[in-house]
Amino acid sequence: MASEKTLTIAIMDAPYESANSTSALRIINAALEKGHNVNVFAYEGAVNLTMKAQQPHPNPVKGTSVEQEQHPTTKDWVASLFKLASTKDVKLDWVNCGLCVDERGAGDWIEGPRRGGPKDFLDASMASDATLVIPTK
Amino acid sequence: MANYLLIESRDPFDSSDSQYFPELVQGISDRGNDTVLFLVQNGVLPVRKGSKYSEAMSRLIRNKIKVLADSFSLKERAISNLVEGVEIADMDRLLDLLLEPGTKAIWH
Amino acid sequence: MPKILNIVETAYRATIEEQDDTVLWLTHMLKNAGADICVLLRANAVNYAVRGQDASGLSFGENRMTHSPEIDKDVATMIEKGVAVYLVDEDAVERGLSEGELLNGIRKIKRRELPELLDQHEQVWHW
């Protein structure tokens, strides 16, 4: 059952560069599981989290194949979060900052996110019960 | 008076700026605010007993500041012998604190 | 509208290719969108308040950068638009910055005054 509470979270880190990305997705996952609505503002490198072209790969150090390694992609994790939101009947609104997308060529993303900008973040924050900014270093 | 949820993700050994956040946490608490320090990622490293920075954690706890450490981050780093008074918590707890009305959340 | 404090503490992160500091730019955009917002510069970001920053002159092969960031001008514009820009005094002193080097309108605060500044804002966003 939806909690009627909404969290807005701003993230900046590109995938595979910082522990912040995993922590952010853990927080979003936990929030959706608890029935909260979540707004995400993906700024700068974080727009790369949802790129459709991400591919898993084998691991030559461990000698594993693609199938064995089951290498995660952040776009699959985010897709799962959208599915979780749907299952829980809560809203996950994921905004990729448009200009950040343009300069990175990150415009081909999975189903779910939408293009937006700083005003979306401000509006979401003002309408939320809590706002968390996870900065990059 | 407000609620503050201060989240430290960084290892104090990473930079000489290591005093900033604990001092800010203490200063916020000294003003009468309800203050919780939530440690995550490399921010949990100081709670290993014997760490050079574990005294900084103990000092905050002695000053009645609640110090929580993310269970997954602790497990990831094989930290099981914690500074006394540090409470093990998870993201559910962080969320509850975050969504408490009147809470300011600051991630460092 | 709740009062927002943006804390900036990492300077010159990709500012050349971004042509801006991305958090100062975001602050401008949020202000334009109606936010009641101000900025605190701390750690090496106190250098953003220094007059005369010059990032011009870079080229990569034949590709010459024609529009460099002008962060001191961005900070000055912010102040003109009514955005309060605070700076941690001890961080500036430790970095050898003198009063005469800083932009007009910068508001210095002491480290011990940070909690009070945070208390004055409903939202504190640490970038």
Side-chain angles (χ1 to χ4, degrees):
Chain A
M1 197 174 97
S3 75
E4 311 285 335
K5 288 197 176 185
T6 301
L7 167 67
T8 292
I9 179 166
I11 49 177
M12 289 182 77
D13 280 287
Y16 309 107
E17 298 293 341
S18 164
N20 287 339
S21 305
T22 307
S23 294
L25 296 181
R26 286 178 63 205
I27 291 168
I28 296 164
N29 189 78
L32 296 173
E33 284 281 9
K34 279 176 157 266
H36 303 315
N37 301 307
V38 180
N39 301 311
V40 176
F41 179 62
Y43 191 49
E44 299 303 330
V47 301
N48 289 329
L49 288 166
T50 53
M51 288 173 76
K52 215 190 272 183
Q54 289 180 7
Q55 296 269 356
H57 57 69
N59 190 328
V61 169
K62 294 178 185 169
T64 50
S65 65
V66 171
E67 293 74 25
Q68 287 166 330
E69 187 65 12
Q70 296 185 13
H71 185 72
T73 58
T74 56
K75 57 119 175 165
D76 283 345
W77 283 353
V78 175
S80 295
L81 292 176
F82 273 100
K83 195 170 168 193
L84 175 61
S86 175
T87 306
K88 294 283 181 177
D89 197 24
V90 292
K91 190 164 186 242
L92 172 59
D93 184 25
W94 185 295
V95 170
N96 281 329
C97 178
L99 300 185
C100 308
V101 165
D102 291 345
E103 66 195 7
R104 288 167 179 75
D108 191 19
W109 55 64
I110 57 167
E111 201 178 311
R114 62 181 176 92
R115 184 183 174 104
K119 188 172 188 306
D120 294 285
F121 172 53
L122 181 66
D123 291 345
S125 174
M126 296 299 107
S128 292
D129 297 283
T131 300
L132 178 64
V133 168
I134 300 183
T136 188
K137 183 75 178 85
Chain B
M1 204 175 91
N3 301 325
Y4 278 82
L5 171 60
L6 297 138
I7 303 160
E8 176 64 270
S9 68
R10 302 183 201 176
D11 175 10
F13 283 97
D14 271 354
S15 84
S16 59
D17 198 23
S18 57
Q19 288 308 301
Y20 160 64
F21 211 60
E23 280 178 6
L24 186 66
V25 171
Q26 188 64 64
I28 287 168
S29 175
D30 287 347
R31 285 181 59 81
N33 294 300
D34 203 319
T35 309
V36 175
L37 174 62
F38 194 103
L39 306 171
V40 71
Q41 298 168 198
N42 284 341
V44 301
L45 290 167
V47 307
R48 176 181 267 127
K49 235 183 215 174
S51 152
K52 175 181 158 184
Y53 288 99
S54 58
E55 172 53 27
M57 293 295 118
S58 299
R59 197 177 312 122
L60 293 174
I61 293 165
R62 283 196 298 271
N63 291 339
K64 307 282 187 272
I65 292 163
K66 192 170 286 238
V67 178
L68 308 176
D70 172 47
S71 54
F72 181 82
S73 302
L74 290 170
K75 184 167 74 78
E76 193 183 14
R77 289 155 183 77
I79 298 173
S80 56
N81 196 9
L82 272 60
V83 164
E84 219 165 292
V86 172
E87 216 178 301
I88 299 175
D90 56 18
M91 286 305 178
D92 277 6
R93 183 80 184 278
L94 182 134
L95 270 168
D96 289 342
L97 291 165
L98 187 51
L99 287 165
E100 191 65 39
T103 295
K104 297 180 210 186
I106 301 170
W107 182 292
H108 185 245
Chain C
M1 177 68 76
K3 291 176 66 165
I4 301 165
L5 174 66
N6 268 358
I7 301 178
V8 184
E9 71 167 26
T10 303
Y12 307 105
R13 179 180 62 219
T15 44
I16 302 297
E17 59 263 43
E18 289 281 5
Q19 297 175 306
D20 290 285
D21 174 277
T22 55
V23 182
L24 294 183
W25 182 88
L26 183 69
T27 304
H28 270 289
M29 291 292 284
L30 294 173
K31 174 73 176 170
N32 292 346
D36 183 356
I37 194 163
C38 64
V39 168
L40 170 70
L41 302 173
R42 71 164 299 270
N44 60 32
V46 298
N47 209 82
Y48 280 163
V50 175
R51 205 179 295 114
Q53 296 168 57
D54 181 0
S56 64
L58 287 182
S59 59
F60 301 92
E62 287 182 0
N63 193 323
R64 198 166 163 274
M65 183 145 189
T66 53
H67 188 175
S68 312
E70 295 179 306
I71 293 175
D72 48 351
K73 292 197 170 71
D74 293 338
V75 175
T77 302
M78 205 177 275
I79 293 170
E80 280 163 27
K81 278 187 164 183
V83 175
V85 178
Y86 298 92
L87 169 147
V88 178
D89 190 33
E90 291 94 331
D91 292 355
V93 167
E94 281 170 1
R95 286 163 177 80
L97 297 179
S98 63
E99 184 71 44
E101 293 177 273
L102 300 180
L103 296 165
N104 294 334
I106 294 287
R107 304 183 196 199
K108 287 187 185 176
I109 64 166
K110 297 289 185 189
R111 276 183 196 148
R112 64 173 187 274
E113 294 170 320
L114 287 178
E116 187 180 350
L117 185 68
L118 267 54
D119 277 349
Q120 291 165 357
H121 294 81
E122 281 88 1
Q123 296 276 356
V124 178
W125 297 339
H126 204 301
W127 295 92

